Amino acid sequence: MENSSYLVVYLGILLALLSVATFFVVRQVWVTRRVEVTLSDLQTKVSQQKGNALEYYELGSLLLDKKLFAQASTYLKKALKELPDDEVENSVLVHNALGYAYFAQEQFDLAIRQYNEALKIRPDYVTALNNLAHSYERKQLMPQALETYEKSLAAEPTNATAQRRAESLRKRLA
């Protein structure tokens, strides 16, 4: 009798674990499918007619997520061209995303230019500061990288990435 109760408990635990795993798999499939449909719809729309800045930005962002960096940069550049003059604040996000696309393609000078464009508009944009510093690091411009991480920490003292990287650079430069 005791063995059969262990078996029932074991099967119950196994069934619960399988149910949880199934939930997460189905959820991931649903999210992926939704992203693919959105991507397809946007690509179809902008190929048939001129898109707006938001559509180009969304399309570029989805392509960044899929690691299609060259395609993403094309759409992000279109987003910048289509962005109305009164939406300068939104261009910060596009410049940062475009910088990331260039960074991922190891085009560090272009990435640095885009991050600096974002920072001209919003000097305390911590994400662009961290990205700019990382680009400097990849170009072996360690003093500029440290200075940029310190600017990031001035804007957000609890920034774990900037804290960790700045400390590492201080040790390397000492």
Side-chain angles (χ1 to χ4, degrees), residues 26-116:
V26 168
R27 181 173 159 248
Q28 187 60 41
V29 167
W30 183 75
V31 168
T32 302
R33 176 75 179 129
R34 191 176 68 205
V35 167
E36 291 297 324
V37 167
T38 303
L39 179 63
S40 177
D41 290 348
L42 282 171
Q43 284 178 317
T44 300
K45 182 175 182 183
V46 300
S47 70
Q48 292 174 352
Q49 62 188 3
K50 186 176 179 180
N52 62 38
L54 179 60
E55 290 166 336
Y56 288 130
Y57 175 72
E58 284 183 41
L59 188 51
S61 295
L62 289 170
L63 291 167
L64 283 177
D65 289 343
K66 295 179 74 54
K67 299 188 182 342
L68 298 171
F69 303 114
Q71 289 176 315
S73 60
T74 299
Y75 288 110
L76 292 168
K77 286 187 272 187
K78 287 181 179 183
L80 283 174
K81 287 180 186 172
E82 296 300 319
L83 203 61
D85 291 336
D86 62 341
E87 292 188 31
V88 174
E89 184 64 27
N90 290 334
S91 70
V92 170
L93 298 174
V94 182
H95 282 294
N96 187 66
L98 185 54
Y100 179 77
Y102 287 137
F103 180 89
Q105 296 173 78
E106 296 187 0
Q107 296 176 349
F108 303 119
D109 290 328
L110 293 173
I112 288 168
R113 185 178 311 148
Q114 292 304 315
Y115 296 138
N116 278 321

Side-chain angles (χ1 to χ4, degrees), residues 121-138:
I121 300 162
R122 203 163 114 210
D124 63 341
Y125 185 37
V126 173
T127 302
L129 285 165
N130 283 352
N131 290 340
L132 176 61
H134 193 202
S135 296
Y136 284 143
E137 280 189 85
R138 292 294 299 268

Side-chain angles (χ1 to χ4, degrees), residues 16-32:
L17 290 173
L18 287 174
S19 297
V20 169
T22 301
F23 168 78
F24 284 112
V25 168
V26 168
R27 181 173 159 248
Q28 187 60 41
V29 167
W30 183 75
V31 168
T32 302

